[in-house]
Amino acid sequence: MFRTALRNVLAHKARLLMTVLAVMLGVAFVSGTLVFTSTISDAFQSSSQKGYDNVDVAIQPHSSDKETGRPGAASKLDQKLLDKAAAVPGAASATGSVSGFTAVADKSGKLIGDGFSTRGGNYSPAKDGKDARYPLRDGVAPQGAHQFALDVHTARKAGYKVGDTVRLSVDGPVRETRLTGIFSTDDGTVAAGGSLALFDTATAQKLFAAPGQFDEIDVKAAAGTSQSALKDAVDKVLPKDGAEATTGKKLADDQAEQIAKGMDGMKTGLLAFAGIALFVGIFIIANTFTMLVAQRTKELALMRAVGASRRQVTRSVLLEAFVVGAIAGVAGLAAGIGIGAGLRTLMNGTGATVPDGPLVVAPSTIVLSLLVGIVVTVLAAWLPGRRAAKIPPVAAMNSVHATATTKSLVVRNSLGAVLAGAGAAGVLVATGMDDGKALMGLGAVLLLIGVFVLTPLLSRPLIALAAPVLRMFGMPGKLARQNAVRNPRRTAATASALMVGLTLITGLTVIAGSVQKGIDKMATASLKADYVVSMAGMTPLSPDVAKKISGLDEVTASSPLRNSPARIGSGTQYLTGVNGKDFGKLTQLDFAKGSLGDLRGGGAVVDDSIAKEKGWKVGSRLPVTFEDGKKGTLTVSGVYTGNQMIKGIILDNSVLAPHQKQITDMQVMVKTKDGATDASKDSLVKALGKNPAISVSDKKDVSDDIAKMFNLMLNMLYGLLAMAVIVAVLGVINTLAMSVFERSQEIGMLRAIGLDRRGIKRMVRLESLVISMFGGVLGIGLGVFFGWAAGELIGGSLATYELVLPWGRMGLFLALAAVVGVLAALWPARRAARLNMLEAIKAE
């Protein structure tokens, strides 16, 4: 039986090729994902480890909220503590560091980086005048407020050299600073494509902390002193509260763990799409082995007649599947290693720089890839193998094929109806729940499986709808329709592969378009401001920006938005400070009770969710402990409907500002005389010094940014789901090719009675088109249903959510299904037309 199984694999190489390709693509996706994530995770961890080479013990501040009861308060590290740390037994040196957002403009005035990875810090020279963390490649260390140093990667990218004047921004205002030095660094942010600007310590403290204060103190151990021993010594000089010491090894391990967790999210997402591709591949494998078994019915029956048991027959089929899976697994692993290397190169090519490091192919990746290829193939072939063993030897040898009985069809259709009904009910019930994600996910899976089980039943009426169109193609069209419904199970399995991919693509498109529309409506409905001014990376703005804006002649109303933590009752809430006089002119809030007023005299408005949770209402008096520890009372003057753009507790800045230790704005809302015009926008941009770090956005810009975000997300998902569609195409090709082989005698007879080669090609192409369109219609229909259902859940947290059916894209998806059908039929149709009619007629 073993030799027979191997002989069958070698005898059907061409027929099994598409199955091998389908499994190989899925395995390649899995192994490529594992190689890629392992490689970049290892690279970032190695880079992070290098960053802690000069840190044996780090002293860091921590929030003193619990200890002092003052929300948001944090102890700062000062020069006195730095000197104490440098003097502890076993310490070779101690370095204080501060850091924060720093935008660097290129020579054209545009921001380098994405805002989140543009950082600044301090250059802290030791006794030798050098900072071991940042070896200078060119120039000298910065000194004074108008000098800085830049990392070598950013300098090369922007074309800067020592002596150039560079435009910088830390909190809003533009700073024109002279570049005095270019340095190299192992900082992970820089290695990932960010930028790092260094100032002297005094300047950096003014920019990022406060004079004489540090964010962190790093202590280097003397020779012969362990990190744990040094930590024990440092602990003795720390203040009783507000600071803690951590070994460099623990910091590096924690950083590595964070990187690994970050990679886990990406890995899970990519593996989910690999799973979809493999799931689609299961249909192809099952279809292939079902057809192979059907073509070898007499052979299997003869084996049964000469003594082979049912179990041996099943094993022989599974052994074939094992060989196919092993071949596909090895090929997929090799392709996956190439994909992993290619993805890393692609990331570097798009500007998302990955630190240097070797390509990592873990033993677990090899084992998992081979295991996935073999297990998926063997499981998919088990049912066809089991069916083959059940065929009675005498019936099979007499060519009496065991067609599906009425009982089996009734059982299948009943099971499918139960699964589909239960799944649809679960999805519908979940739409009315506050947190129905789990139930909706379960319902969606059951509905998808139920529809797959029912697909043979659905194929006849749906394909019959195409009959009027197929009649236009004469006899080939009629034969194509009959061939498509001749074996409903085969047609269903082939169409279902395409259905799964299009269901996901359509559902995601509906959800993304609807959410984008909802957010666009929310921005239009809640904002009357013409512009919103903010910093790149959502970092705080200097209050000077709001002052400059309010002083412009064309500005009729403006309001900075400031956040500050406060204790109200037993919990911490964030207060939002605004210009109460102008806030009503800049926003359009929907008040359930009370009104906005001018927010003077300790008045505050709260969103409905907080009011409901806390039991607050108009007139409620709220005892508050502000950021500086002082107490006060706020009176609720209105309850409004909150949304993602405006929510929380809002009060006047005149009440909030006296209690803030450092006043910064998150954004500034602006209304101008002429409205949102190009001239008004240019005027604001010029007034702010054409600052690359400051964004001036009108409602259209906000909408465009949202559209870009969703389009980028959709394009990525489309690219990932394309793998499933490619596998589905292979399935259609495989089914048609084997169907042509199976119907060789029939095709020969058609040629003999007058159907020419062009008619044969047209028949096969139309059959492929009908099957693909059948899968496309089912997939788009299910995708719209799932998109609507998911939208009902999203609507609970996004009041302006509105269902949008992307008719244009759905038409494109249907056209894609048609193209899949046409392309998949090219080779099988050509093969069918080239059959020798006499040899085909004699074929068994």
Side-chain angles (χ1 to χ4, degrees):
M1 295 299 291
F2 178 76
R3 289 196 299 271
T4 302
L6 292 180
R7 180 182 61 79
N8 285 328
V9 171
L10 296 174
H12 302 115
K13 292 188 291 290
R15 290 182 236 174
L16 290 169
L17 177 62
M18 295 300 171
T19 302
V20 171
L21 284 174
V23 180
M24 185 198 77
L25 285 174
V27 172
F29 209 152
V30 171
S31 57
T33 296
L34 296 175
V35 169
F36 172 64
T37 53
S38 296
T39 297
I40 61 175
S41 178
D42 181 75
F44 277 116
Q45 286 178 13
S46 298
S47 176
S48 173
Q49 185 72 44
K50 289 179 183 177
Y52 289 106
D53 284 348
N54 293 306
V55 181
D56 288 310
V57 172
I59 304 173
Q60 298 170 320
H62 58 74
S63 173
S64 57
D65 186 14
K66 293 180 182 179
E67 289 85 351
T68 66
R70 291 184 295 149
S75 295
K76 288 290 184 179
L77 313 180
D78 55 20
Q79 185 66 39
K80 184 179 178 181
L81 181 58
L82 175 63
D83 294 338
K84 285 183 179 180
V88 299
S93 63
T95 305
S97 63
V98 288
S99 63
F101 169 78
T102 301
V104 181
D106 61 18
K107 290 186 176 181
S108 64
K110 295 181 179 179
L111 175 68
I112 299 174
D114 59 7
F116 293 97
S117 58
T118 54
R119 308 294 297 168
N122 66 309
Y123 188 92
S124 181
K127 293 178 181 179
D128 60 0
K130 298 178 182 179
D131 189 333
R133 301 172 300 174
Y134 310 114
L136 286 169
R137 301 277 291 270
D138 193 14
V140 296
Q143 293 180 358
H146 299 290
Q147 294 184 4
F148 86 109
L150 188 62
D151 71 271
V152 64
H153 297 293
T154 305
R156 285 174 182 169
K157 189 189 304 181
Y160 286 132
K161 61 183 183 297
V162 170
D164 287 344
T165 298
V166 181
R167 291 162 58 84
L168 306 175
S169 179
V170 173
D171 57 358
V174 175
R175 301 167 56 91
E176 294 198 348
T177 312
R178 183 169 172 265
L179 179 62
T180 63
I182 296 174
F183 60 90
S184 58
T185 177
D186 293 319
D187 187 285
T189 304
V190 175
S195 66
L196 180 60
L198 297 180
F199 306 88
D200 65 32
T201 298
T203 303
Q205 287 175 328
K206 291 177 183 177
L207 293 174
F208 307 126
Q213 295 179 342
F214 300 100
D215 294 331
E216 181 174 312
I217 295 175
D218 299 327
V219 186
K220 180 72 175 173
T225 304
S226 67
Q227 290 189 354
S228 57
L230 181 61
K231 178 183 178 300
D232 292 339
V234 169
D235 280 337
K236 295 176 182 178
V237 302
L238 293 181
K240 292 183 179 179
D241 60 2
E244 59 187 352
T246 311
T247 62
K249 183 180 184 306
K250 185 176 189 310
L251 288 174
D253 291 343
D254 290 345
Q255 183 76 9
E257 185 179 348
Q258 289 178 6
I259 292 170
K261 286 181 180 178
M263 290 298 106
D264 283 345
M266 180 189 294
K267 185 188 296 184
T268 301
L270 291 173
L271 288 177
F273 287 98
I276 292 168
L278 286 168
F279 179 67
V280 172
I282 286 173
F283 297 121
I284 300 173
I285 300 164
N287 232 5
T288 301
F289 278 93
T290 298
M291 297 173 77
L292 285 174
V293 166
Q295 292 168 13
R296 287 163 37 208
T297 302
K298 285 189 176 182
E299 176 189 326
L300 295 174
L302 181 61
M303 291 170 63
R304 289 286 313 281
V306 297
S309 64
R310 287 186 174 184
R311 183 174 296 178
Q312 286 179 310
V313 171
T314 302
R315 284 178 181 172
S316 70
V317 175
L318 294 181
L319 185 58
E320 290 179 50
F322 177 87
V323 173
V324 170
I327 294 171
V330 171
L333 174 62
I337 294 172
I339 289 173
L343 284 173
R344 174 175 172 168
T345 304
L346 180 64
M347 282 189 69
N348 287 331
T350 56
T353 309
V354 177
D356 292 333
L359 192 68
V360 179
V361 184
S364 58
T365 299
I366 299 173
V367 173
L368 185 62
S369 299
L370 295 176
L371 197 62
V372 165
I374 293 169
V375 170
V376 168
T377 310
V378 170
L379 286 178
W382 176 76
L383 192 58
R386 188 168 173 270
R387 285 178 185 161
K390 283 187 173 183
I391 300 175
V394 176
M397 292 180 72
N398 287 322
S399 297
V400 181
H401 295 276
T403 57
T405 63
T406 303
K407 180 181 177 182
S408 69
L409 292 175
V410 169
V411 170
R412 176 177 180 135
N413 293 336
S414 300
L415 178 62
V418 170
L419 289 173
V427 171
L428 292 173
V429 169
T431 58
M433 297 172 61
D434 292 334
D435 187 14
K437 294 177 184 177
L439 180 59
M440 183 170 289
L442 177 62
V445 171
L446 289 176
L447 178 56
L448 196 62
I449 295 173
V451 170
F452 166 65
V453 175
L454 287 174
T455 307
L457 179 66
L458 298 172
S459 63
R460 289 185 179 275
L462 288 179
I463 291 176
L465 294 175
V469 178
L470 293 174
R471 287 196 196 102
M472 297 168 58
F473 296 93
M475 185 55 67
K478 181 179 180 181
L479 291 171
R481 184 181 66 82
Q482 291 175 348
N483 289 335
V485 297
R486 177 187 297 181
N487 192 329
R489 287 185 175 179
R490 184 185 302 169
T491 297
T494 306
S496 294
L498 189 60
M499 176 191 77
V500 172
L502 287 180
T503 295
L504 294 170
I505 289 174
T506 305
L508 290 170
T509 303
V510 170
I511 294 169
S514 301
V515 170
Q516 181 182 326
K517 179 71 173 178
I519 294 177
D520 196 15
K521 279 180 63 179
M522 181 177 65
T524 304
S526 60
L527 282 182
K528 287 196 272 184
D530 296 320
Y531 299 101
V532 174
V533 179
S534 60
M535 283 287 283
M538 297 307 293
T539 53
L541 275 166
S542 166
D544 293 341
V545 174
K547 290 178 183 177
K548 185 172 287 188
I549 289 173
S550 64
L552 297 175
D553 293 336
E554 60 267 36
V555 174
T556 58
S558 66
S559 174
L561 270 67
R562 299 170 182 169
N563 286 338
S564 175
R567 185 179 296 282
I568 302 178
S570 59
T572 299
Q573 299 285 340
Y574 271 85
L575 306 178
T576 300
V578 299
N579 179 354
K581 179 183 176 182
D582 287 348
F583 193 64
K585 302 174 185 177
L586 300 165
T587 58
Q588 189 168 319
L589 301 181
D590 182 15
F591 277 85
K593 293 179 182 178
S595 63
L596 180 63
D598 60 5
L599 294 179
R600 295 300 176 92
V605 293
V606 300
D607 70 59
D608 51 354
S609 61
I610 294 179
K612 183 179 179 181
E613 179 188 346
K614 301 294 184 181
W616 298 339
K617 56 186 178 180
V618 174
S620 295
R621 293 175 63 82
L622 313 178
V624 180
T625 302
F626 290 101
E627 181 182 347
D628 61 354
K630 294 182 179 179
K631 300 183 183 296
T633 303
L634 296 177
T635 303
V636 177
S637 60
V639 177
Y640 67 94
T641 302
N643 55 49
Q644 276 71 17
M645 298 193 70
I646 301 176
K647 59 182 177 180
I649 304 170
I650 301 173
L651 68 161
D652 191 80
N653 277 324
S654 63
V655 178
L656 183 63
H659 301 289
Q660 291 184 278
K661 286 190 170 184
Q662 186 176 3
I663 296 177
T664 56
D665 302 328
M666 292 309 297
Q667 61 184 36
V668 180
M669 293 188 290
V670 185
K671 194 167 185 63
T672 59
K673 292 177 183 177
D674 300 327
T677 64
D678 291 340
S680 297
K681 186 172 183 177
D682 288 342
S683 177
L684 283 174
V685 171
K686 288 178 182 177
L688 295 173
K690 294 184 178 180
N691 194 322
I694 295 181
S695 169
V696 180
S697 306
D698 58 20
K699 293 177 185 178
K700 185 177 182 302
D701 293 329
V702 172
S703 179
D704 289 344
D705 287 342
I706 294 168
K708 285 178 185 176
M709 180 181 67
F710 280 108
N711 285 333
L712 177 63
M713 179 189 71
L714 273 180
N715 289 335
M716 289 176 60
L717 294 176
Y718 287 162
L720 294 169
L721 287 171
M723 183 69 73
V725 175
I726 291 171
V727 174
V729 172
L730 293 175
V732 178
I733 295 172
N734 206 27
T735 299
L736 290 174
M738 298 187 73
S739 179
V740 166
F741 178 84
E742 195 177 65
R743 302 202 310 260
S744 295
Q745 190 176 54
E746 175 188 318
I747 292 171
M749 289 294 295
L750 290 171
R751 288 288 315 282
I753 61 176
L755 191 63
D756 60 11
R757 288 186 174 181
R758 182 178 296 176
I760 294 293
K761 285 184 180 179
R762 184 173 295 172
M763 177 188 72
V764 176
R765 288 171 183 165
L766 289 174
E767 179 183 352
S768 174
L769 183 62
V770 166
I771 293 173
S772 297
M773 292 294 284
F774 171 50
V777 169
L778 282 180
I780 292 172
L782 282 173
V784 169
F785 176 71
F786 290 143
W788 165 82
E792 292 296 302
L793 281 184
I794 295 170
S797 56
L798 182 61
T800 53
Y801 181 88
E802 178 182 332
L803 179 66
V804 175
L805 294 181
W807 296 106
R809 290 206 177 189
M810 289 194 294
L812 186 64
F813 297 155
L814 201 59
L816 173 65
V819 170
V820 165
V822 172
L823 293 179
L826 291 178
W827 178 61
R830 186 167 177 269
R831 183 182 178 192
R834 295 180 65 182
L835 285 175
N836 183 293
M837 68 176 76
L838 295 179
E839 291 181 1
I841 291 172
K842 291 190 297 180
E844 293 188 6

